[in-house]
Amino acid sequence: MESMHIISTKQFLDKKILGSIFKLADDMEEKDRAGILINSLKGKILASLFYEPSTRTRFSFESAMHKLGGNVISTESAIHFSSVTKGESLQDTIKIISGYSDIIILRHFKEGSAEIASRFSSVPIINAGDGMGEHPTQALLDLYTIKKEFGNIDNIKIALLGDLLYGRTIHSLLHLLGAYNVDIFLISPEQLKLPEKYKNYLDKKGIDYKEIDNIKKIIKEIDVLYVTRIQKERFNSEDEYEKLKNSYKIYSEMLKEMKDNAIIMHPLPRVNEISTDIDDDKRAAYFRQAKNGLYIRMALLEMIFKKN
Ligand code: NCD
């Protein structure tokens, strides 16, 4: 990590750095499961500033900070309860909050907002999702999940299914996959295809990817099926969303086709795209994935504060 901020997964394209984050996350899990208290961040304050809803990202960051002995300050919903309602700019809000805290976890509806915030902050900014841009800590926990489930990342075949246009977790994950030797399949409704800039990135990295029109065509050969929600909040009209909302669904019949050791991932929340029927199948990895978020975020906080 060359910068104190975490804005994009492009900052993490080094297998050694990724390996050390994963190792630290393993240590965090071991200590947590053994009930060992880690007080390394005692006296530090994390501010969570979320302009969009969140369950996993916010709770796991806040829990991670508490588990490391630090404190948390936050607002229920920054869009309603901070001074933005009075017309304050993000830039002024960040200048103020960075004076009250040691790290800011920012989720914002606008692509590029985390990068802007980092220019005005005196403390590290962690991008917890910037509109249709990126969600780097989610992608780190996604990659960590693959590593944990398979023991390796190289040589896996991964299918990314869903809203590849607006899905920021996909964008961040693609950067990271660029550090490995993997095969990628992209499957989405025509209107929600991966933006050119990410395809160009894969081309530049020499990563093999194919756009496929139906998951059924490759379901037998993949190791990881990464499903995403159609990002309703990014659409201009309800109608547009209604047309696409049931474009794909994973259900138990389909699992019969999948490899026995394949896994199904999802950053969550899911709406209709994965049937709850498959939740008890050992290949359904999304709840394990969400739990890994806690350990990855503990590791990231620990690393950031050790450095500063
Ligand atoms: C994702 C997000 O916010 O981008 N959620 C998460 O952090 N796990 C995915 C989504 O909202 O669909």
Side-chain angles (χ1 to χ4, degrees):
M1 272 193 295
E2 72 273 14
S3 138
M4 70 168 181
H5 309 288
I6 299 181
I7 306 298
S8 161
T9 39
K10 282 192 177 161
Q11 294 167 245
F12 296 92
L13 300 183
D14 180 332
K15 281 186 181 176
K16 256 206 200 128
I17 293 175
L18 290 166
S20 55
I21 297 171
F22 297 164
K23 162 112 199 12
L24 192 53
D26 286 344
D27 288 354
M28 292 295 169
E29 177 167 5
E30 215 178 288
K31 288 201 177 102
D32 188 53
R33 290 198 190 274
I36 299 170
L37 289 177
I38 314 162
N39 253 336
S40 53
L41 303 191
K42 198 169 163 41
K44 300 286 184 197
I45 294 178
L46 173 149
S48 48
L49 187 60
F50 280 62
Y51 292 84
E52 283 190 338
S54 169
T55 301
R56 280 145 290 272
T57 307
R58 181 167 159 192
F59 274 98
S60 63
F61 257 121
E62 294 189 359
S63 174
M65 191 63 179
H66 284 296
K67 281 179 182 282
L68 295 170
N71 298 300
V72 173
I73 54 173
S74 65
T75 161
E76 277 300 302
S77 156
I79 204 152
H80 294 118
F81 299 117
S82 70
S83 287
V84 281
T85 55
K86 302 180 192 166
E88 186 169 65
S89 66
L90 178 65
Q91 144 181 1
D92 283 1
T93 304
I94 292 293
K95 277 187 187 165
I96 300 301
I97 295 182
S98 65
Y100 301 156
S101 60
D102 301 292
I103 188 163
I104 298 174
I105 315 299
L106 174 71
R107 171 169 288 184
H108 197 276
F109 45 86
K110 211 163 158 214
E111 183 170 7
S113 53
E115 195 276 319
I116 292 171
S118 71
R119 286 192 246 142
F120 296 97
S121 179
S122 54
V123 301
I125 295 283
I126 310 294
N127 181 4
D130 60 329
M132 62 179 283
E134 286 207 44
H135 191 351
T137 65
Q138 175 70 44
L140 288 166
L141 79 89
D142 293 341
L143 197 70
Y144 177 57
T145 301
I146 296 173
K147 169 80 174 51
K148 254 179 142 176
E149 299 274 334
F150 292 97
N152 62 287
I153 297 163
D154 281 316
N155 303 321
I156 63 150
K157 289 188 176 184
I158 178 165
L160 305 172
L161 168 67
D163 186 344
L164 309 185
L165 173 62
Y166 298 122
R168 56 196 175 196
T169 72
I170 294 279
H171 303 159
S172 283
L173 183 58
L174 280 172
H175 289 150
L176 293 182
L177 292 173
Y180 296 87
N181 178 22
V182 293
D183 286 336
I184 299 174
F185 298 100
L186 304 172
I187 310 123
S188 65
E190 190 59 32
Q191 298 88 328
L192 300 176
K193 282 192 161 178
L194 187 70
E196 284 302 315
K197 68 174 171 180
Y198 298 102
K199 288 189 202 163
N200 293 339
Y201 169 86
L202 293 173
D203 287 335
K204 231 171 66 199
K205 289 271 166 191
I207 299 292
D208 193 24
Y209 71 90
K210 288 188 189 71
E211 290 186 290
I212 309 277
D213 59 7
N214 195 326
I215 179 66
K216 288 183 180 158
K217 289 189 180 159
I218 42 121
I219 196 142
K220 284 194 178 112
E221 55 176 297
I222 53 175
D223 303 298
V224 178
L225 172 57
Y226 188 106
V227 188
T228 64
R229 171 180 72 92
I230 294 193
Q231 308 280 299
K232 182 180 181 186
E233 64 277 34
R234 311 269 174 245
F235 285 75
N236 291 325
S237 74
E238 184 81 24
D239 268 9
E240 239 180 282
Y241 170 72
E242 286 296 320
K243 272 186 224 146
L244 293 171
K245 74 173 187 192
N246 293 321
S247 315
Y248 52 92
K249 182 164 186 152
I250 305 303
Y251 47 91
S252 53
E253 233 2 70
M254 288 166 87
L255 263 66
K256 289 189 187 144
E257 303 273 302
M258 286 185 89
K259 285 187 193 171
D260 203 44
N261 66 344
I263 58 168
I264 299 163
M265 297 175 68
H266 193 307
L268 304 177
R270 70 172 148 190
V271 187
N272 285 318
E273 58 282 354
I274 296 184
S275 159
T276 52
D277 296 359
I278 70 162
D279 288 358
D280 293 332
D281 191 293
K282 70 173 179 20
R283 291 168 290 183
Y286 28 91
F287 293 115
R288 300 195 289 277
Q289 180 186 354
K291 184 71 200 258
N292 288 335
L294 173 65
Y295 304 121
I296 279 290
R297 289 174 174 129
M298 286 175 81
L300 290 171
L301 291 174
E302 182 83 4
M303 280 176 115
I304 288 168
F305 282 108
K306 234 186 232 159
K307 220 173 138 224
N308 291 303

